[in-house]
Amino acid sequence: MDPTTDNAGQTGDPGTARDALEALRAEIAKAVVGQDPAVTGLVVALLCRGHVLLEGVPGVAKTLLVRALASALELETKRVQFTPDLMPSDVTGSLVYDTRSAEFSFQPGPVFTNLLLADEINRTPPKTQSSLLEAMEERQVTVDGTPRPLPDPFLVAATQNPVEYEGTYPLPEAQLDRFLLKLTIPLPSRQDEIDVLTRHAGGFDPRDLHAAGVRPVAGPADLAAARTAVAKTTVSPEITAYVVDICRATRESPSLTLGVSPRGATALLATARAWAWLTGRDYVIPDDVKALALPTLRHRVQLRPEAEMEGVTADSVINAILAHVPVPR
């Protein structure tokens, strides 16, 4: 079966599923220019049943990226603009009294979708931020004591602005640790920005992805087949020890007040397995771990104030650790 057809989502074959997921890059590129690493990160998160924190200045197509991914995967997506007055029930849903039946009925909130875009999550108070915790961790929402399962697949893509902190509520470390990956969305290169403007001059409308030519190239069945294959990807004891050594080194770094937790080590192992499978192997090598170390670990460490004042970043600390931890042969 051709994975680029609209029926690609109907297959359950791991080989075809890999081809279909690889085709996502080209399909999303019809709407979003130059963000292949972010696309790959979102696919890895879907394979690992994880969630993603997208960080970038306004106007770098974070929302468009998630919408294009949903369209190419035939998944439902909803967007919530997080504001200081947003209530938890605005996200999860609430009980509404029906005057005709004289009973309360549950009205699902926007969290009941496949891809939830939580826009500017750090603009809402901690109470509303925490309303997502159960959904992210347990994949269910409990209202009035009744648990209600969320659709599968389910992914939260939360965005935050890295340069504007006035009126924001930084995510606590415990919630940051619930995100599998933190992806930084950079400003485009000069040529990419020229391509963006050329598309807009030619009539591209970001609100109409169908007109832009974005078509479904994969679907839930492909994701299910891929997850099964990823779970069978072999991890040698040496690779497991390598992941542990990297994470333990962050706890001993003089530049950090907080290192990577065991949950973070588990996350790095999971993302490395997904990346190994996506690149066509059924076993993990050290390069897979290195490739996913930054997006998996950068939000799980906390810099010392003095190190931050000296210009040290989480990425630079992790890169230094990767350079010093012995690589298994």
Side-chain angles (χ1 to χ4, degrees):
M1 180 182 292
D2 182 356
T4 61
T5 65
D6 286 354
N7 294 322
Q10 303 304 315
T11 181
D13 177 67
T16 307
R18 183 189 288 116
D19 293 340
L21 294 176
E22 279 294 317
L24 281 174
R25 294 184 186 182
E27 202 64 25
I28 293 174
K30 296 177 182 178
V32 182
V33 177
Q35 296 294 357
D36 280 357
V39 174
T40 300
L42 287 165
V43 172
V44 166
L46 282 168
L47 294 179
C48 298
R49 298 180 183 270
H51 307 284
V52 175
L53 187 62
L54 299 172
E55 187 173 270
V57 299
V60 290
K62 297 187 293 293
T63 301
L64 181 60
L65 175 63
V66 175
R67 288 180 53 240
L69 177 68
S71 181
L73 281 172
E74 280 192 298
L75 298 177
E76 182 187 30
T77 183
K78 293 180 182 176
R79 175 179 175 273
V80 178
Q81 180 65 51
F82 279 70
T83 57
D85 60 348
L86 194 74
M87 299 296 292
S89 59
D90 294 330
V91 178
T92 60
S94 59
L95 294 175
V96 177
Y97 185 71
D98 188 339
T99 55
R100 290 174 295 181
S101 63
E103 294 179 348
F104 284 95
S105 61
F106 178 68
Q107 296 296 317
V111 74
F112 286 86
T113 189
N114 296 122
L115 298 183
L116 176 67
L117 179 63
D119 218 352
E120 292 192 292
I121 191 173
N122 57 337
R123 289 212 168 275
T124 200
K127 183 177 182 181
T128 304
Q129 291 176 2
S130 65
S131 68
L132 275 177
L133 275 179
E134 182 188 16
M136 293 169 63
E137 194 70 16
E138 306 296 333
R139 299 183 180 276
Q140 67 177 23
V141 168
T142 302
V143 177
D144 196 31
T146 302
R148 305 174 192 275
L150 295 170
D152 184 39
F154 172 69
L155 178 143
V156 173
T159 73
Q160 64 178 13
N161 185 337
V163 296
E164 187 178 354
Y165 294 107
E166 186 175 348
T168 64
Y169 303 84
L171 293 172
E173 298 302 326
Q175 187 160 353
L176 280 172
D177 206 31
R178 294 307 200 280
F179 285 97
L180 181 73
L181 300 172
K182 178 181 178 181
L183 305 176
T184 55
I185 311 297
L187 288 167
S189 66
R190 181 176 182 272
Q191 185 55 54
D192 284 344
E193 196 162 1
I194 289 173
D195 291 344
V196 170
L197 268 62
T198 301
R199 291 186 182 190
H200 280 264
F204 171 72
D205 183 356
R207 292 174 292 273
D208 190 352
L209 294 177
H210 187 78
V214 179
R215 300 287 186 270
V217 295
D222 290 305
L223 286 174
R227 286 170 174 173
T228 300
V230 168
K232 297 177 181 177
T233 302
T234 303
V235 181
S236 68
E238 292 78 14
I239 293 295
T240 303
Y242 182 52
V243 170
V244 169
D245 289 343
I246 290 170
C247 295
R248 291 182 67 85
T250 65
R251 303 169 202 162
E252 300 167 1
S253 171
S255 299
L256 301 176
T257 59
L258 179 68
V260 176
S261 69
R263 181 192 286 129
T266 302
L268 180 55
L269 187 62
T271 56
R273 291 177 85 183
W275 176 246
W277 180 82
L278 278 173
T279 53
R281 278 178 282 100
D282 60 358
Y283 57 92
V284 180
I285 62 175
D287 283 349
D288 299 324
V289 177
K290 291 181 178 181
L292 272 297
L294 286 180
T296 308
L297 303 182
R298 59 163 60 109
H299 57 297
R300 304 175 192 272
V301 300
Q302 192 172 72
L303 289 167
R304 293 187 182 277
E306 55 269 28
E308 201 165 3
M309 291 177 62
E310 293 172 1
V312 176
T313 65
D315 283 13
S316 65
V317 173
I318 294 169
N319 279 326
I321 288 171
L322 291 174
H324 285 89
V325 172
V327 180
R329 297 186 180 277

